[in-house]
Amino acid sequence: MSAAGVALMLGGAGILLAATPAQAAEITFKTECIPPAISNLPPIQGETTVAITAPATAKVGDTVDISWKTVKAASKNPDVLDLNKDVVQPSGNVTVGGAQSGTVAVQGPRQNPPIPKNSQMVLSEMKGKLKIEKAGDITLTPDKYTINVNQIMTTETKCSPKETVKAAATIKVEGGGSTTGGATTGGATTGGATTGGATTTGGATTTGGATTGGSGGQTDFPGKAVDVTYDCGAVVPGGIKTPVTISAKKNGGAYALTVKTAKGAMASPMALPAGALKPSMNIKLGGADSGTVKVTGPANAEPIPDKAPVSLSDMSGTYTPGKTGKVTLSPDQLTIDVTMSAGAPPINVPCKATTSGVSLELDTAAQPGGSGTSGTSGSAAAAAGGLAETGASDDGGIKALALVAGTVVLLGGAVFTFTPWRRLRGTR
């Protein structure tokens, strides 16, 4: 063996010897799982077995990986329907105790084998990160978790411990480097991102999660995702909920806005033609400015096969400040135009934002012709909260309403389907 080969082998051995071994420990605890309300099923009492994996040792200042493997979930797939492959996504919390306190949020990919009715749920491995802040023994204890299923529609089963749970893993922490990168909440970093405190990046200051566009020549201002709840009236009973992110790019005195919703987490209940779904949204201005800015997105360019994942397109528009000062931008009314065939009038589905939040804050300078005025949502029908006029007779109006009721309203992992689809299949 050459000298270089020996050196490489010894160097590799040194690395292996220096690596901190990970530990995996299983813990079982009594659990109550609350099925989704739509299932009309009672709470489920069972036991959850979890294996928590973490490094055996660490130093202050380290960021370590935490994993949660569900050996056995407390609930089974009920006697409702067989679950398809890759429709289940778990998320949960790991409680941090001992020398440091807080919570680590963990999440797994939407990945599972087919799960027949009345069989054990199979959950993917969940992962998160913990920033080590203090020396001593840090304990990790599994806590509540959620099972999200996206098949036909999105549902969640929420599970929580019904007894005091023992720690599943312990990290022995030596004194070391100081912590950097901002403050943490309760000493824990959630999902690898630091929460609480304010950090500055490229001139943009994050305060309480909302991004503030600073000075210093910065042109790109990324916003934070905020959960928005929409009330679409009788078209979508129960409404829909999705994270929405507003980002801006400065162009002279104006800002080019881009608005994104959750992507690809829903399935179409039937084949949809190209151009079937076209979204638009009002962005509400607050702080120094007022009014709304409308953003629109293109319709789907390609046909959408039956049961295929579907996303709303990104929406864009321009905000020209009407006032000088700090201006907040929040998601407001969403409108989806549904066109089932070329040349047919679009069916307008207005969805009012009942809860929202600030996604972006900008330091603005007033511009001529600024946007500090009330905006519109697009059509008179949307403003009135009703359906667009189709020009048909009463019978045609009923059919249009049935089409809307059967239309998928696709947003943020929610999909709603109704029985008129079956009748429409036979009449299209």
Side-chain angles (χ1 to χ4, degrees), residues 368-422:
S371 301
T373 57
S374 296
T376 62
S377 62
S379 71
L387 297 174
E389 181 62 46
T390 63
S393 64
D394 290 346
D395 181 63
I398 292 172
K399 289 181 179 179
L401 180 59
L403 179 59
V404 174
T407 297
V408 162
V409 178
L410 305 160
L411 187 64
V415 59
F416 299 83
T417 59
F418 305 99
T419 53
W421 278 121
R422 292 194 186 95

Side-chain angles (χ1 to χ4, degrees), residues 301-362:
E302 300 293 333
I304 303 170
D306 185 21
K307 296 183 177 59
V310 187
S311 303
L312 289 179
S313 61
D314 293 347
M315 292 164 274
S316 60
T318 300
Y319 167 48
T320 303
K323 302 288 184 180
T324 297
K326 292 187 180 296
V327 178
T328 60
L329 288 82
S330 305
D332 203 20
Q333 178 165 303
L334 167 74
T335 302
I336 303 175
D337 289 335
V338 182
T339 305
M340 294 304 294
S341 61
I347 300 167
N348 184 268
V349 182
C351 298
K352 180 182 178 182
T354 56
T355 62
S356 186
V358 175
S359 176
L360 181 64
E361 186 178 77
L362 299 170

